[in-house]
Amino acid sequence: MVSFPQGRALLGLSIALLSAAGAARAAEGSAAPAMDLAIEEVVVTARQYNAAAQLTDERIMDDAVSDLLGADSISRVGDSNVAIALQRVPGLSLVNGQFVYVRGLGERYSQTTVNGASVPSVDLSRNVVPLDLFPSFIVDSLSVQKSYSADRQASFGGGAIDIRTKRIPDGFVGGLQLGSAFNDANDDEVITYAGGGQDNEGQDDGTRALSPRLQEALIQYQGNVSVQNILSRLRGTTQPNATLADAQAVNRQLGSYLYRDLSVLEKDTPFDRNIRGYLGNSIFLTDDFELGALAAGGYSNQWRETTRLNRSFAFPEQRTDERLEATQQVNMTGNAAVGFRYLDEHEVSATAIYLRNTEDDTYQRTFFNENRQRESGNGFQDVGFRFEERDVLITQYQGNHSIGYNTKQVLKDRFGDLLPASLIDFIPEGLEYNWFYSDSKAETSIPSEVNISLQGATDENFQIPNPQVVQSSEAANFRFTELDDDVLNHGWEVKAPFYTKRLTVEVSGGYNHRRQDRVYVQSQFNLGPLDVASLSTLRGPLGEVFSTANVNSSANNFVFNRVGSNNQSYIAATMTDAYFGQFDLTLDDTWRIAAGLRWEKYRQVGLDYDPYGFSATTPVVTTDPERLASNVFQDDDLYPSLSLTYMRPFWADTFQLRGTYSETVVRPDLREITDASYIDPLTEDLVFGNSGVIPATLTNYDLRAEWFWNSGDSLTVSMFYKDIENPIEFFETTASDTTVAREIVNAASAEVYGVEFEVLKDLGSVADFLSPFFLQGNITLQDSEIVAGGRADAPTNDTRELTNASPWIVNMIVGYDSMDARHSATIAYNAFDDRLFVAGRNGAPDGFEQTRHSINATYFFYPTDNLTVQLKASNLLDDPISIEREGVETLNEKVGRTFSLSVQWELY
């Protein structure tokens, strides 16, 4: 077996193929486009209204259509992570609690950066970053840019999300928060299993991992551990007289090396636990030189229990699938920043962010299909266990340098003998040079994912009171997965301003280099009995059924084997080099035109990877020149952006009317450019990659009118239209009766259009008694259409809406702040209309996720200036997740309501 580190070495082949396709890596020392400056932290102790309005200035100055959320707005509403917070932005909707859809376009059409730099993904099946991975307490602000500008990556569809983490403070800060919570969908006891000794740290201690002895055997038998191959190897090496029984004994012993302590247990459901803290300071070493640092960390541990019922559309009463799942989720976060400022015109900083998210799942599933329907009196049961650890380490360096008055004076004082004063004065005041360097690594490890098949007679409630493990060599399936995803991103940008009496012009340009490489390795095995000495062996706790004594007993004839055709693993890499130029011209403080052009050269390679390739007929990666050529893709193109803004008081103190135009591209995920197949962990569908998928091209139009009053009130109306050629979409394809399969293809065309309304209003101007209240909200109305075309496999509707594109989305917040500044509260409402969940095939109807309404309530009590008590209730309406096909509910999942309490102590 090829080990995972060896798989990493194979990326050299990927990079070589990129180079063969014309790639040229940027020089090591290249610096690059400026990451956005962290917004100065503002501690708001009076009104949530101010927290909602404090980023208005940045939004007004932006030449693109953008929305922002500040840290105070996020914390006051009580959003625990970035994904939840972003669903309050106009036009954004949250899918699966992890991914954000911007203006009806899926997660692939949005890019996510951290402090302006690209980061890798820990998701096994998607190239995008699950946004629930980022806790809100490390966030300074969130920026959502909805119209493209040339300083952004050209891979831009719905929008660009930038997570700006907290940086160097202006002075001493410190704080500690302790909290707990519970969810009312949890029973008093949850199902679990023995597990390892470091589960509460979110890390497997080796208990579940693939045994070193088993790894050695896989090398010894060249990946083929079947009885016949073992017998052949024994006879050809150390045991020329080996018998079939000898080979069977070796095979069973190999199976006993798997982790099999898998009896389902019950334990009292614990309350959630979370703790977070931060400490920082900045000091002036001299009058001009300031040094600062900030460190933050957090830990949370929670249990959630969900119940889900799936039903067949054609046979909803007979073919059902009921699943009870309990999940322990552990999160650990660390964030550190250090930097210095000089003359208030130069800043250099280093930031490190560590994120760990671990989920340990135990589930019991009772189901009926075409082989056994409910009326038969017999059913199937699966019991499963999945431990998934996801780790991200982000290391970033950035510098922001401005040639202002102070810098010019220093140049004259210290270098006046070398540089004439006239030359220093000739340098445009406000000239900026910004650079960044980011190296990020993501690792996902599933040391054990087990599914065990049982069956038995059902009772009057269609449950199986006495299930027994099936007599089959496939009774238990063991899967081991490793993902390693690295992203290197660096760049620089230069900005030069010029002024006349009527004109202000800023000219800028820069360079950006991005490289991503990914290795995905999956191994899968089966273990089960073909015969047993007694049927009682198949009943009882699973740890006893699969005990070492039972597995090694010749009377039970357990069989161990490796599964799969080795098309689950892959290696892939992309490399992008880009140069861009922009100008931003303002005439008479009335008209503003910003235009840019980006040239981007993109290269990608994706190859199936066989970790058990031991021969020329089954190589680790293919050596066929035609297949290698078909798996390499490159293109280079120009991507323009244009923005025209009119700025004059109209109805409000500040009014802006902005129109934008741009051309962009969206490329397939790394996994999708290989022919590897995989099970999507979110949908549990079998998904086929497609090396023939090409990038989608987009033409984008935006028009936004904004009114801002000096009181802080604001009103925004935005319209947008996107035309997409060769959109990348999943379509259902041929599979067995019990399996749903999807394939990634290019549809013919798509379009998305809509309008967004956003308001922020202090209600004190309506009536005096409403002075403690404010209203903030947004409504999005949108429509979409995709034409499947000839590449899709027999879709029921050749023309339909885009997946997860909701026709309307509503967010409303009512806030209250007491006049004595000791109490504050918010009620947040979110709702979306029916949205397409799955498109039908061969006449089967489309499935739609039904409208959901949710209300969250948050209350803060400030007994002192340093102490905060927070109470929060989430999902008060307790609407379930429901999917229907032509009036038949095919899925219902109850997520429950969560109630939390936290206490925070802060120092300033």
Side-chain angles (χ1 to χ4, degrees):
M1 184 176 94
V2 178
S3 68
F4 186 66
Q6 289 173 296
R8 163 59 59 195
L10 288 169
L11 280 168
L13 173 63
S14 301
I15 303 302
L17 285 169
L18 290 177
S19 300
R25 191 175 302 187
E28 253 323 292
S30 294
M35 297 194 300
D36 296 331
L37 285 169
I39 298 171
E40 182 180 1
E41 183 175 8
V42 179
V43 180
V44 179
T45 59
R47 297 184 56 81
Q48 292 181 343
Y49 177 70
N50 292 336
Q54 64 179 313
L55 295 177
T56 296
D57 286 346
E58 181 181 351
R59 181 168 151 179
I60 292 173
M61 295 302 296
D62 202 333
D63 64 331
V65 173
S66 61
D67 294 302
L68 298 112
L69 281 177
D72 290 295
S73 294
I74 295 170
S75 64
R76 292 297 184 91
V77 177
D79 295 329
S80 59
N81 61 58
V82 167
I84 296 173
L86 283 171
Q87 70 177 333
R88 309 197 187 287
V89 175
L92 273 64
S93 56
L94 183 61
V95 177
N96 294 320
Q98 298 178 307
F99 303 104
V100 170
Y101 280 46
V102 182
R103 291 178 164 177
L105 291 171
E107 69 271 11
R108 74 169 65 253
Y109 289 91
S110 301
Q111 58 175 260
T112 299
T113 56
V114 175
N115 299 318
S118 297
V119 290
S121 175
V122 294
D123 191 270
L124 296 176
S125 58
R126 291 165 177 81
N127 203 30
V128 296
V129 183
L131 294 173
D132 64 327
L133 195 65
F134 295 89
S136 58
F137 76 88
I138 70 169
V139 173
D140 184 70
S141 66
L142 301 173
S143 170
V144 181
Q145 184 173 319
K146 296 178 179 176
S147 67
Y148 172 71
S149 56
D151 57 344
R152 290 282 186 177
Q153 297 174 33
S155 183
F156 184 103
I161 298 166
D162 189 30
I163 302 170
R164 304 165 176 179
T165 60
K166 293 182 177 178
R167 298 298 184 88
I168 305 167
D170 290 327
F172 178 78
V173 294
L176 179 67
Q177 183 184 77
L178 301 174
S180 185
F182 72 93
N183 183 280
D184 66 0
N186 290 354
D187 289 331
D188 293 338
E189 294 182 327
V190 291
I191 56 174
T192 184
Y193 63 107
Q198 294 179 301
D199 290 0
N200 286 328
E201 300 168 25
Q203 182 175 344
D204 180 57
D205 60 1
T207 298
R208 306 170 177 85
L210 195 63
S211 162
R213 290 181 295 180
L214 184 52
Q215 293 188 54
E216 292 172 4
L218 287 165
I219 296 173
Q220 177 183 351
Y221 297 110
Q222 296 194 355
N224 185 351
V225 291
S226 66
V227 171
Q228 289 300 323
N229 187 63
I230 291 173
L231 179 60
S232 175
R233 292 277 172 178
L234 290 175
R235 288 177 174 176
T237 54
T238 57
Q239 294 180 248
N241 297 319
T243 65
L244 180 64
D246 293 332
Q248 289 174 327
V250 172
N251 176 268
R252 291 193 297 270
Q253 186 177 37
L254 295 180
S256 71
Y257 293 157
L258 295 167
Y259 172 66
R260 292 158 289 107
D261 189 5
L262 298 170
S263 297
V264 177
L265 310 173
E266 290 188 345
K267 62 174 289 184
D268 292 338
T269 306
F271 285 95
D272 298 353
R273 293 162 284 165
N274 63 75
I275 181 173
R276 63 185 61 165
Y278 63 94
L279 184 66
N281 198 6
S282 63
I283 56 174
F284 281 91
L285 302 179
T286 68
D287 290 342
D288 299 323
F289 194 92
E290 182 184 9
L291 179 67
L294 176 70
Y299 170 85
S300 67
N301 190 330
Q302 69 175 35
W303 285 82
R304 290 294 180 267
E305 189 175 65
T306 58
T307 302
R308 186 174 71 199
L309 175 64
N310 289 81
R311 299 194 300 168
S312 163
F313 166 73
F315 305 93
E317 301 302 323
Q318 291 296 325
R319 301 178 187 177
T320 61
D321 185 338
E322 189 173 353
R323 180 182 179 118
L324 172 67
E325 182 170 351
T327 301
Q328 181 186 16
Q329 185 177 90
V330 175
N331 291 285
M332 299 177 68
T333 305
N335 179 34
V338 62
F340 67 84
R341 301 186 185 103
Y342 179 61
L343 299 173
D344 287 330
E345 295 174 355
H346 304 270
E347 180 175 344
V348 175
S349 63
T351 302
I353 303 169
Y354 174 73
L355 306 168
R356 171 179 290 174
N357 171 268
T358 300
E359 292 187 350
D360 192 5
D361 299 331
T362 304
Y363 69 84
Q364 293 177 322
R365 171 184 170 224
T366 301
F367 63 99
F368 306 86
N369 55 33
E370 69 276 7
N371 298 315
R372 288 184 183 176
Q373 301 192 131
R374 278 189 166 195
E375 63 186 8
S376 70
N378 293 283
F380 300 102
Q381 187 178 93
D382 281 352
V383 176
F385 313 88
R386 175 187 172 98
F387 187 94
E388 179 175 353
E389 178 186 342
R390 308 185 295 179
D391 294 278
V392 178
L393 177 62
I394 302 171
T395 306
Q396 299 180 330
Y397 307 91
Q398 76 171 50
N400 307 108
H401 309 277
S402 176
I403 307 298
Y405 175 81
N406 294 330
T407 301
K408 286 189 174 185
Q409 288 301 118
V410 169
L411 290 175
K412 290 177 180 179
D413 294 342
R414 299 184 181 180
F415 302 98
D417 295 338
L418 300 175
L419 298 174
S422 59
L423 178 61
I424 296 173
D425 290 335
F426 180 76
I427 301 173
E429 189 161 318
L431 178 69
E432 292 184 25
Y433 174 69
N434 305 310
W435 57 270
F436 77 93
Y437 182 94
S438 175
D439 190 1
S440 307
K441 303 181 184 298
E443 296 181 0
T444 297
S445 174
I446 304 180
S448 182
E449 180 178 1
V450 185
N451 185 83
I452 301 173
S453 300
L454 303 93
Q455 62 185 1
T458 57
D459 59 19
E460 65 276 7
N461 296 316
F462 302 104
Q463 301 299 307
I464 304 176
N466 298 299
Q468 68 178 36
V469 174
V470 299
Q471 282 188 243
S472 168
S473 61
E474 301 178 358
N477 179 267
F478 297 78
R479 184 180 301 168
F480 304 85
T481 305
E482 295 285 341
L483 168 69
D484 191 358
D485 194 1
D486 294 351
V487 172
L488 176 69
N489 191 199
H490 58 79
W492 54 263
E493 182 179 22
V494 175
K495 297 180 180 180
F498 302 94
Y499 307 94
T500 69
K501 186 174 182 179
R502 299 180 59 192
L503 282 176
T504 299
V505 181
E506 181 180 79
V507 179
S508 63
Y511 167 78
N512 189 288
H513 174 79
R514 182 183 186 276
R515 191 186 78 201
Q516 180 176 12
D517 49 69
R518 172 178 276 215
V519 176
Y520 178 92
V521 183
Q522 179 177 300
S523 302
Q524 196 168 342
F525 306 91
N526 281 337
L527 176 66
L530 291 179
D531 300 299
V532 288
S534 169
L535 288 178
S536 62
T537 304
L538 304 175
R539 304 189 188 103
L542 295 175
E544 295 180 9
V545 174
F546 288 90
S547 66
T548 300
N550 280 345
V551 170
N552 284 329
S553 171
S554 58
N556 294 327
N557 195 15
F558 272 79
V559 176
F560 170 70
N561 213 340
R562 187 172 64 84
V563 184
S565 55
N566 306 320
N567 66 340
Q568 296 88 6
S569 303
Y570 67 92
I571 58 175
T574 68
M575 189 184 297
T576 307
D577 288 289
Y579 292 90
F580 63 90
Q582 300 181 113
F583 75 86
D584 188 348
L585 181 152
T586 302
L587 175 63
D588 294 333
D589 291 328
T590 301
W591 292 96
R592 181 182 183 186
I593 182 170
L597 189 64
R598 184 183 186 92
W599 176 81
E600 202 166 270
K601 185 172 185 178
Y602 174 80
R603 291 135 290 177
Q604 74 177 30
V605 59
L607 297 170
D608 293 348
Y609 165 42
D610 183 359
Y612 302 99
F614 290 94
S615 68
T617 56
T618 59
V620 175
V621 294
T622 181
T623 55
D624 181 357
E626 291 187 4
R627 288 197 62 191
L628 288 173
S630 68
N631 283 279
V632 175
F633 174 83
Q634 69 167 340
D635 74 348
D636 63 273
D637 210 339
L638 295 171
Y639 301 95
S641 64
L642 177 65
S643 171
L644 178 63
T645 306
Y646 173 75
M647 304 172 290
R648 260 319 199 208
F650 170 65
W651 186 30
D653 301 293
T654 301
F655 170 72
Q656 290 191 146
L657 180 65
R658 177 184 293 115
T660 71
Y661 166 84
S662 63
E663 297 176 9
T664 56
V665 66
V666 170
R667 303 177 178 110
D669 288 352
L670 286 177
R671 183 158 201 167
E672 295 165 354
I673 61 177
T674 73
D675 293 321
S677 62
Y678 60 94
I679 300 295
D680 189 319
L682 295 177
T683 64
E684 298 184 357
D685 295 343
L686 176 64
V687 180
F688 295 99
N690 181 356
S691 58
V693 172
I694 62 174
T697 57
L698 295 87
T699 305
N700 312 284
Y701 303 87
D702 286 88
L703 182 65
R704 169 176 279 194
E706 299 174 295
W707 292 266
F708 300 97
W709 285 266
N710 291 337
S711 63
D713 293 353
S714 64
L715 173 65
T716 303
V717 180
S718 306
M719 292 181 286
F720 60 90
Y721 174 81
K722 296 179 181 293
D723 182 56
I724 310 173
E725 287 187 41
N726 299 308
I728 303 170
E729 188 84 350
F730 284 109
F731 287 90
E732 192 172 332
T733 188
T734 305
S736 67
D737 291 338
T738 56
T739 302
V740 176
R742 296 183 295 150
E743 182 182 18
I744 192 74
V745 300
N746 289 110
S749 64
E751 60 178 1
V752 185
Y753 51 91
V755 59
E756 300 166 349
F757 303 90
E758 183 179 10
V759 64
L760 174 62
K761 177 63 178 172
D762 182 355
L763 298 181
S765 60
V766 177
D768 289 342
F769 74 92
L770 294 176
S771 294
F773 297 91
F774 74 91
L775 174 69
Q776 181 182 9
N778 57 75
I779 298 174
T780 301
L781 307 175
Q782 61 189 8
D783 198 4
S784 65
E785 180 180 278
I786 185 169
V787 179
R791 301 183 186 98
D793 184 8
T796 298
N797 298 306
D798 187 64
T799 301
R800 58 167 174 81
E801 58 265 63
L802 287 166
T803 305
N804 286 310
S806 180
W808 56 259
I809 306 169
V810 175
N811 287 291
M812 289 293 172
I813 294 175
V814 176
Y816 166 81
D817 293 272
S818 66
M819 303 308 291
D820 62 1
R822 292 300 182 192
H823 308 272
S824 66
T826 60
I827 296 177
Y829 169 76
N830 172 266
F832 61 83
D833 195 13
D834 296 357
R835 58 192 185 191
L836 181 67
F837 179 78
V838 59
R841 177 178 177 272
N842 278 337
D846 296 339
F848 289 87
E849 183 176 357
Q850 299 301 290
T851 299
R852 287 186 67 204
H853 304 267
S854 67
I855 292 179
N856 297 342
T858 309
Y859 166 73
F860 291 87
F861 173 50
Y862 311 99
T864 71
D865 291 342
N866 303 103
L867 189 64
T868 303
V869 179
Q870 176 186 355
L871 295 170
K872 182 182 177 184
S874 303
N875 194 34
L876 285 172
L877 298 180
D878 201 19
D879 270 8
I881 299 171
S882 176
I883 296 172
E884 291 187 5
R885 288 189 167 194
E886 287 190 350
V888 176
E889 187 178 53
T890 58
L891 181 145
N892 184 287
E893 181 175 329
K894 188 176 178 65
V895 295
R897 294 166 291 199
T898 302
F899 302 90
S900 63
L901 167 67
S902 66
V903 178
Q904 179 169 304
W905 176 69
E906 295 179 288
L907 287 177
Y908 301 105

